[in-house]
Amino acid sequence: MGVEITPKIATALFTGISTDTGCFRFGNTTVRTFEIAAKLAEKGAETFKVVQTFFETKTKTYAALERLALNDMRFYFSERCALICVTRDMYQKTGSDETETAPLANLTRQVEGVLVGVLMKEQKDGSFKVSVRTNGDVDASEICGRLGGGGHAGAAACTVNGPKQKAINLVLKEIEAEIDSIRID
């Protein structure tokens, strides 16, 4: 006995697939992913609305936070690493909060030549939640694993203690070790 896939159910399923695959950009996107998405569209999934809502619309507070974050982005290791550190002060200035930071992690690795993108978010206790995104042969889980976190090759996370510059230095040390361990032709 199967469940009838209504347009509402198709939209919910399409939302999950599209957000999990980064709008079909991440490495977990396969031919089968596209086949399922096409079937959901045939069943009435509101694909345009989902893509517009989740991938093209920003709140004003997020836009303000993104502007500050991009102004704060720093590059390391011959510009192979980009790092953004979001502080409590940035949240206060923009009216934003940690719930709006997820897209910032991917911004760091979208810069040409960057192999490792890092987003560090200052927590209320002064520690920093670190999200690492990688391109190519650099393994994010190796970086975060050495700092007590985990994840997978393309995306991983961990928490490090502050103050800010000490936390940045700890993360950069592990990134440098990982970048130095790979062969770049």
Side-chain angles (χ1 to χ4, degrees):
M1 174 184 348
V3 174
E4 178 187 346
I5 304 295
T6 65
K8 188 174 182 177
I9 292 171
T11 298
L13 292 170
F14 183 82
T15 299
I17 291 170
S18 63
T19 55
D20 190 51
T21 62
C23 203
F24 308 96
R25 297 174 310 184
F26 297 160
N28 62 346
T29 305
T30 65
V31 170
R32 181 86 175 119
T33 309
F34 287 111
E35 291 170 348
I36 293 169
K39 287 180 182 175
L40 293 171
E42 288 173 355
K43 294 286 187 178
E46 296 184 58
T47 57
F48 176 77
K49 184 177 179 182
V50 169
V51 171
Q52 185 179 38
T53 300
F54 288 94
F55 300 100
E56 296 180 356
T57 303
K58 298 177 183 180
T59 65
K60 290 177 184 173
T61 53
Y62 172 78
L65 180 64
E66 182 181 88
R67 184 178 62 248
L68 286 179
L70 288 173
N71 282 336
D72 187 64
M73 188 183 321
R74 300 291 179 259
F75 295 90
Y76 302 92
F77 315 121
S78 301
E79 299 188 349
R80 294 180 293 170
C81 173
L83 185 143
I84 292 173
C85 188
V86 176
T87 63
R88 308 292 310 157
D89 184 56
M90 292 166 96
Y91 293 139
Q92 187 176 21
K93 286 180 181 175
T94 62
S96 185
D97 61 36
E98 189 172 333
T99 64
E100 294 190 294
T101 60
L104 296 175
N106 288 325
L107 285 179
T108 56
R109 75 168 179 171
Q110 291 173 353
V111 178
E112 180 181 20
V114 169
L115 300 176
V116 181
V118 181
L119 172 63
M120 297 180 64
K121 300 175 286 190
E122 184 178 16
Q123 305 299 293
K124 290 178 183 176
D125 67 0
S127 66
F128 289 84
K129 184 174 179 185
V130 180
S131 297
V132 177
R133 304 290 184 267
T134 60
N135 289 324
D137 297 322
V138 180
D139 189 333
S141 67
E142 288 291 325
I143 294 164
C144 290
R146 290 191 296 268
L147 294 167
H152 55 85
C158 61
T159 300
V160 296
N161 291 320
K164 179 182 170 182
Q165 195 56 55
K166 177 185 173 193
I168 290 171
N169 290 345
L170 284 170
V171 172
L172 289 175
K173 179 181 175 188
E174 297 307 329
I175 291 169
E176 183 175 35
E178 190 62 20
I179 287 176
D180 286 349
S181 74
I182 64 168
R183 181 176 172 216
I184 300 173
D185 294 326

